[in-house]
Amino acid sequence: MPDTPALQADTVTKRYGHVIALRGVSLRVAAGECLALVGESGSGKTTLLRAFNRMVEPEAGRVLVNGRDVAGEDPVALRRSIGYVQQEGGLLPHWSVRRNAALVPWLRRDDDALVRADHVLVLVGLDPATFADRRPRQLSGGQRQRVAIARALADRPSILLMDEPFGALDAITRAELHESFEALRAEIPTTTLLVTHDLREAARLADRIAVMRAGGIEQVAAPAELVEAPSSAYVAMLLHRAGLR
Ligand code: ADP
Ligand code: MG
């Protein structure tokens, strides 16, 4: 079924006490597409991302992955089948780079976990001969993010959730990682949901951009269309602030 979206949210609502983090959000991401979730801090980007691997359980609405309602899926199996790069990377500090990268295949007791790790380390531009035995603190910020991305890709998931993966990096390192990311996507055609607060980054990397505001989606459009025809003064303001309009 080529028309089944890889990721789909139908009127998803999530509350934390009095805070409404998601207010009836609907979104579809096609297989192979890269969709960027953009919005100010607190707009609900992380909450929406995490609804797809059941790290967030919505109060209302449905979340589907490859056409299947995640509410009926085993959360652990679901999480292992979807690559996830957490905000702040989330590497295990006492584990080597190789073991960090091997985490997901290792969890399912794959004898080839370390081989898979080395393979994805090469893909993200880290030579295992140099980096595999280091600890995360022996790496630069950009190198750590590369390991986090390698870990998410080690089991070749068809879906990748990335939460501000290039967030806390200097401009040059970011540009390098953007290039690596584009090369990776050309090699492994993974459906990607990419959270960023940077509209320029979204416009460069994503096929479509969803602008979030206060728990809702303000507009979803291809980057050129968003720039040409922002649907609200708010979207126009964000574009202007990012120097895109
Ligand atoms: P973003 O990723 O866009 O910065 P989040 O999805 O993290 O936004 O948060 C959306 C809203 O939900 C914010 O108001 C945030 O404070 C609140 N929130 C997120 N996670 C929690 C939590 N675990 N407990 C309470 N409030 C939360
Ligand atoms: Mg966030």
Side-chain angles (χ1 to χ4, degrees):
M1 282 188 290
D3 292 329
T4 304
L7 299 171
Q8 183 174 351
D10 278 339
T11 57
V12 169
T13 296
K14 176 66 188 176
R15 290 191 186 80
Y16 295 106
H18 296 297
V19 175
I20 304 181
L22 297 175
R23 44 185 89 231
V25 168
S26 296
L27 182 71
R28 285 161 176 246
V29 185
E33 186 179 28
C34 176
L35 186 134
L37 284 179
V38 176
E40 293 178 279
S41 186
S43 58
K45 305 181 297 295
T46 295
T47 303
L48 179 56
L49 186 90
R50 288 158 68 103
F52 289 106
N53 65 5
R54 290 196 66 183
M55 294 180 85
V56 160
E57 300 284 355
E59 266 83 55
R62 287 201 317 159
V63 176
L64 297 96
V65 171
N66 293 325
R68 292 163 64 124
D69 192 329
V70 296
E73 303 285 320
D74 170 43
V76 173
L78 184 73
R79 276 169 219 154
R80 286 187 195 163
S81 72
I82 298 178
Y84 176 41
V85 180
Q86 295 179 51
Q87 209 166 347
E88 317 302 341
L91 297 180
L92 298 161
H94 302 299
W95 282 26
S96 69
V97 163
R98 181 181 276 128
R99 285 188 71 204
N100 266 287
L103 177 67
V104 179
W106 179 77
L107 284 170
R108 59 171 181 74
R109 302 169 195 275
D110 182 339
D111 290 338
D112 292 330
L114 297 178
V115 176
R116 286 175 182 273
D118 282 6
H119 189 76
V120 283
L121 286 170
V122 171
L123 278 182
V124 299
L126 295 175
D127 179 5
T130 307
F131 293 102
D133 296 321
R134 294 198 192 174
R135 299 289 175 276
R137 69 180 145 73
Q138 297 169 306
L139 302 175
S140 71
Q143 289 164 345
R144 273 198 292 275
Q145 283 310 95
R146 287 179 192 270
V147 178
I149 294 165
R151 183 174 66 179
L153 290 171
D155 244 357
R156 299 294 181 123
S158 66
I159 294 170
L160 184 58
L161 307 175
M162 304 178 94
D163 200 349
E164 307 214 17
F166 317 118
L169 303 170
D170 63 83
I172 293 169
T173 307
R174 257 174 110 104
E176 279 173 14
L177 278 177
H178 288 168
E179 278 176 25
S180 299
F181 177 74
E182 288 180 316
L184 265 178
R185 287 203 67 238
E187 189 158 334
I188 313 176
T190 310
T191 306
T192 306
L193 190 58
L194 169 72
V195 168
T196 171
H197 56 257
D198 181 348
L199 253 175
R200 279 181 165 277
E201 180 170 283
R204 163 151 188 199
L205 299 177
D207 300 312
R208 288 188 304 148
I209 297 173
V211 179
M212 294 196 70
R213 180 189 194 185
I217 290 184
E218 191 92 349
Q219 184 172 5
V220 187
E225 187 190 336
L226 195 77
V227 171
E228 282 298 307
S231 67
S232 66
Y234 180 74
V235 175
M237 182 275 289
L238 289 185
L239 288 163
H240 182 72
R241 211 195 262 171
L244 289 169
R245 213 180 130 84

